[in-house]
Amino acid sequence: MKCTRLVLIGPPGSGKGTQATRICARYDIPWISTGDILRAAVKAHTPLGIQVQMLLSAGELVGDDLMIDLVRERLAHEDTARGFVLDGFPRTLVQAEALDQMVGGKPLLALVLEVPEAELERRLTSRRICTRCKTLTTSNSLYGSEEELCSKCGAVLITRDDDNIVTIRARLENYRRLTAPLIDYYQQRNWVARIDGTRPPDEVTRNIARVIDERMDLRDC
Ligand code: ADP
Ligand code: ZN
């Protein structure tokens, strides 16, 4: 049997969420977005949500211990038996080492979405999310200039709380400093595939799927 254990690495705005939804549908594996889990906790005012709310709105990272416990618990669910798409984890070396332990040292495929910083800032400041179906879109209008509706379900689109220029710069800086070194960490084991994230979304999906199918050596259960 083949398993598809994927780790998406890329700066905020590189298209991780968009690609994760498509890849998990194609390979029938769950999408695990730590950002979504945390935002849902904030919205529901759970103890976790209350604890992380300030960090999220400042664009700062949540502590490694908390994140590791959260992901360990999620990976214990049966639906991950044939693999998973991790989006937003690991984000630090400590998290990457913990993940290796969680999967018992089995190989992962780290997909690195590459997009230049100027393009990321442009995408993030114009990013909108649907309040109902959570679809992401890029807006043409300036923030707050007019109400926009989701092309899929018609509900109102909003800007994510942490998509403001100050927070965006903090998130990009954290990515450069803490997360980008993970590329070397996985490269040492030859588990990295670099993907050009500036291509149109469908093309990016095709390129990711091609790499996954080529690297069957990384898909042992
Ligand atoms: P981004 O668009 O920055 O990639 P995400 O939706 O992945 O956003 O995450 C949103 C926020 O959630 C991050 O800025 C961070 O505060 C927190 N977060 C998510 N995953 C992690 C993680 N693995 N470690 C620490 N903090 C995290
Ligand atoms: Zn919608």
Side-chain angles (χ1 to χ4, degrees):
M1 191 171 64
K2 284 293 167 190
C3 285
T4 315
R5 284 176 296 268
L6 305 175
V7 169
L8 283 180
I9 298 180
S14 57
K16 296 190 299 292
T18 304
Q19 294 303 325
T21 49
R22 298 161 174 224
I23 294 299
C24 69
R26 186 172 180 134
Y27 293 91
D28 192 23
I29 46 178
W31 170 31
I32 303 175
S33 160
T34 47
D36 276 0
I37 294 173
L38 295 173
R39 278 187 293 276
V42 169
K43 207 172 162 202
H45 301 289
T46 65
L48 169 69
I50 291 162
Q51 197 178 342
V52 302
Q53 183 165 24
M54 301 281 276
L55 292 170
L56 250 64
S57 54
E60 293 306 331
L61 295 189
V62 175
D64 285 333
D65 292 343
L66 195 69
M67 293 308 303
I68 289 166
D69 284 347
L70 194 148
V71 171
R72 183 182 293 116
E73 200 175 297
R74 179 64 188 84
L75 289 182
H77 286 222
E78 252 170 46
D79 65 346
T80 65
R82 286 184 41 264
F84 47 77
V85 181
L86 270 176
D87 165 11
F89 186 96
R91 249 186 169 89
T92 64
L93 270 175
V94 173
Q95 293 179 13
E97 285 162 1
L99 175 62
D100 281 334
Q101 275 206 325
M102 289 178 219
V103 300
K106 287 188 188 135
L108 305 162
L109 179 57
L111 296 160
V112 180
L113 284 172
E114 299 183 307
V115 179
E117 290 219 356
E119 167 71 5
L120 294 170
E121 284 194 11
R122 194 192 64 76
R123 286 186 188 180
L124 289 166
T125 48
S126 53
R127 177 158 80 174
R128 304 287 183 273
I129 184 165
C130 173
T131 46
R132 188 185 299 147
C133 74
K134 308 290 176 228
T135 295
L136 294 166
T137 45
T138 303
S139 164
N140 303 315
S141 67
L142 290 169
Y143 174 52
S145 59
E146 62 189 280
E147 187 172 271
E148 294 172 274
L149 302 178
C150 176
S151 61
K152 277 198 186 153
C153 78
V156 176
L157 297 177
I158 54 165
T159 301
R160 227 172 77 177
D161 248 8
D162 58 352
D163 281 346
N164 64 76
I165 194 67
V166 175
T167 307
I168 287 169
R169 297 224 162 111
R171 282 153 62 208
L172 288 173
E173 169 61 22
N174 278 331
Y175 176 78
R176 247 179 275 137
R177 197 163 55 86
L178 298 166
T179 311
L182 296 185
I183 302 169
D184 276 342
Y185 176 82
Y186 288 120
Q187 187 62 62
Q188 282 166 17
R189 293 179 235 177
N190 199 19
W191 291 354
V192 172
R194 293 172 193 271
I195 307 285
D196 180 355
T198 65
R199 310 301 306 161
D202 288 345
E203 196 178 322
V204 176
T205 309
R206 275 198 303 279
N207 291 338
I208 291 177
R210 187 183 316 124
V211 177
I212 294 173
D213 296 337
E214 273 169 14
R215 296 298 309 266
M216 292 297 275
D217 60 312
L218 298 180
R219 297 184 54 203
D220 289 326
C221 277

